[in-house]
Amino acid sequence: MEELPIGRRVSYWRNRRKMSQQVFADRLGKSKSWVDKVERGVRRLDKFSVVYEIADVLQLDVQLLLGKDPERRPDSMNCIDQIEVAEIRSALERYDQISAFFYATPEPPPITEMRKAALHAWQTWEHGRYGVLARALPKLLRDAQAADTAYAHSDDSREAAHLLGQVYQLASSVLRKLGELDLSWLAADRSIAVSQRAGDQLLAGVATTRVANALRALGRHRAALEVNVNIANRLCPTPGATTDDQLSVYGFLLLQGAMAASCIGDSATMRDLLSAAQEAAAGLGGDKNHYWTSFGPTNVLVHRAAAAVELGEGGLAISIHDGLDPTAFNAMLPERRAHHYLDMARGFAQVGDVERAGEMLLEGDLLAPAEIRCRPIAHEVLSDVLRRTRGTPTASLAELAEQMGVGV
């Protein structure tokens, strides 16, 4: 954000507010020519009073115009915008290890602080607070990259690489959710390389699922299937010598492979992978969250329902959903449950039950609003539900549509 000239930030936010230069100028008491020169960088904004007036007209935190992080409520539901995407991209474009050959590396944060920051970021992700995580990512990426470079030849080298691999995975996951697919693939690819330096096969295994999910989001389903299955085969459990961590990552890879198979209509491979995942989950003995996988019997069922939706078998997905153990399902992390509700909204829409589909969207919104309000697929589902609703939608659904900017 800091790299963008203030004039471009003014132009971006004026357009986002759907305000013409003339209307904007009138509300500022300036000429249209003045606004045009500011936005093109011909005229400097060197008075704070004018910057504050612009922020007021744009109904914007003045810190955003100044290229700084604004004060935000921790429960803010704002989704990511293009200025924030640009800042994440800038952080991903850093090559600290190469620069270290020519310049002194910046003072890195202590490993203990990085460990706490990564843990907090995972918790933010698991509760579906994507906007909050996206705004924290640029600094987190810069800090993790600096730490990985600075500690490269110390006893902390592997842990620093491990933490950077985690941050790349988080970046990939949230960027994919928010529709920034190319950046999601880049971050996931970086995570695999860093995981290898960390010497952790399981971290690399989870990173593989991030790459595969990015590929799947880009429409490259067969490539996603192959990479998941290949790495799963390498992590295949050995009787008596398999840890819960390994079993969880192995099962998670199988689930993501099953989703990729469903996307290309390969129902036989999908069923085989789901059956193998179910067997792995049984060996785990319950729902766990090793290596941030949320893997276990309940997550296998949730993925069975999601895969059925991808195949267009909404009725089967509903049957699976209705058979979920409420206690086990409610113990899952908010992101997982809200994601399932979004999948089920699609499933109910497939069988023509748009009323239940709307209810699923509302359930997901109550649980993790960003999963519904910030994801492009959720906007598509809500638009479809509203289009097919006979008469007037419920007040709750109409309110959600208004907040999401989806026409009723």
Side-chain angles (χ1 to χ4, degrees):
M1 194 180 299
E2 292 177 2
E3 291 82 358
L4 295 177
I6 189 170
R8 284 182 59 189
R9 290 195 288 269
V10 171
S11 175
Y12 168 79
W13 286 106
R14 175 182 61 75
N15 283 299
R16 184 163 177 177
R17 298 294 187 252
K18 295 180 170 54
M19 199 181 298
S20 69
Q21 283 190 338
Q22 187 62 64
V23 170
F24 183 47
D26 290 344
R27 294 184 182 181
L28 280 172
K30 304 286 186 181
S31 67
K32 181 181 176 182
S33 174
W34 183 91
V35 171
D36 182 65
K37 289 177 180 177
V38 165
E39 292 185 348
R40 289 189 293 114
V42 176
R43 186 183 187 100
R44 295 181 60 188
L45 284 176
D46 50 10
K47 291 185 178 180
F48 281 110
S49 59
V50 176
V51 175
Y52 275 95
E53 287 178 19
I54 290 174
D56 187 54
V57 169
L58 294 174
Q59 299 181 353
L60 185 70
D61 192 312
V62 71
Q63 299 299 317
L64 280 175
L65 287 180
L66 296 174
K68 300 177 181 178
D69 292 330
E71 292 290 330
R72 297 181 187 262
R73 290 173 51 200
D75 59 345
S76 171
M77 284 304 114
N78 293 332
C79 299
I80 196 170
D81 58 56
Q82 290 308 304
I83 287 182
E84 292 162 345
V85 169
E87 193 168 4
I88 293 172
R89 179 180 290 107
S90 177
L92 284 171
E93 289 172 349
R94 292 166 60 95
Y95 288 88
D96 287 1
Q97 286 191 317
I98 296 176
S99 299
F101 283 107
F102 305 99
Y103 308 103
T105 57
E107 185 68 25
I111 286 292
T112 52
E113 288 186 14
M114 278 305 309
R115 196 182 300 130
K116 291 178 182 177
L119 177 60
H120 182 263
W122 277 116
Q123 292 172 340
T124 302
W125 160 257
E126 291 169 342
H127 284 78
R129 298 168 63 193
Y130 307 140
V132 175
L133 178 56
R135 288 187 286 274
L137 272 174
K139 182 178 186 304
L140 191 57
L141 281 163
R142 289 192 296 267
D143 286 349
Q145 289 165 335
D148 180 54
T149 300
Y151 297 121
H153 303 293
S154 73
D155 293 340
D156 292 321
S157 61
R158 286 202 167 188
E159 184 170 6
H162 202 287
L163 290 168
L164 177 57
Q166 293 181 43
V167 174
Y168 278 143
Q169 288 194 36
L170 284 161
S172 175
S173 296
V174 75
L175 287 165
R176 177 177 55 83
K177 290 268 193 181
L178 299 174
E180 299 295 334
L181 305 183
D182 289 331
L183 282 181
S184 174
W185 181 87
L186 173 62
D189 186 65
R190 291 269 187 88
S191 178
I192 286 184
V194 173
S195 300
Q196 291 174 335
R197 284 198 291 104
D200 189 334
Q201 285 189 333
L202 300 185
L203 184 66
V206 180
T208 299
T209 68
R210 314 300 180 191
V211 169
N213 285 340
L215 289 171
R216 186 155 57 91
L218 288 164
R220 298 172 61 186
H221 307 302
R222 190 165 297 280
L225 170 60
E226 290 175 356
V227 72
N228 274 313
V229 172
N230 286 342
I231 303 304
N233 286 338
R234 296 183 185 185
L235 292 176
C236 189
T238 302
T242 303
T243 66
D244 285 353
D245 285 348
Q246 182 180 345
L247 203 57
S248 295
V249 174
Y250 167 74
F252 193 55
L253 282 158
L254 295 174
L255 289 181
Q256 302 313 309
M259 292 305 303
S262 70
C263 289
I264 57 176
D266 188 348
S267 58
T269 299
M270 179 200 77
R271 287 193 295 269
D272 287 345
L273 293 173
L274 286 171
S275 295
Q278 184 175 353
E279 184 178 345
L284 196 60
D287 297 302
K288 311 292 182 181
N289 192 29
H290 298 293
Y291 271 76
W292 322 284
T293 58
S294 295
F295 183 70
T298 307
N299 205 10
V300 172
L301 290 173
V302 164
H303 278 77
R304 282 190 183 277
V309 170
E310 290 297 337
L311 289 174
E313 299 177 355
L316 175 59
I318 292 168
S319 175
I320 296 169
H321 168 74
D322 290 341
L324 288 174
D325 174 36
T327 301
F329 178 72
N330 289 332
M332 296 183 78
L333 293 163
E335 180 272 334
R336 284 284 79 214
R337 284 182 283 156
H339 189 143
H340 174 69
Y341 283 129
L342 177 53
D343 286 332
M344 291 313 305
R346 296 171 62 200
F348 279 109
Q350 286 175 354
V351 300
D353 193 343
V354 293
E355 182 178 352
R356 289 290 304 278
E359 290 174 1
M360 292 293 100
L361 292 173
L362 291 170
E363 288 285 351
D365 183 63
L366 286 173
L367 190 60
E371 178 70 20
I372 305 302
R373 303 187 187 194
C374 297
R375 295 195 62 191
I377 182 64
H379 285 244
E380 294 175 15
V381 175
L382 179 55
S383 179
D384 180 52
V385 168
L386 293 172
R387 179 177 56 81
R388 296 166 61 188
T389 297
R390 295 181 179 180
T392 304
T394 64
S396 297
L397 198 62
E399 182 181 359
L400 177 61
E402 181 179 359
Q403 292 170 342
M404 291 173 61
V406 176
V408 179

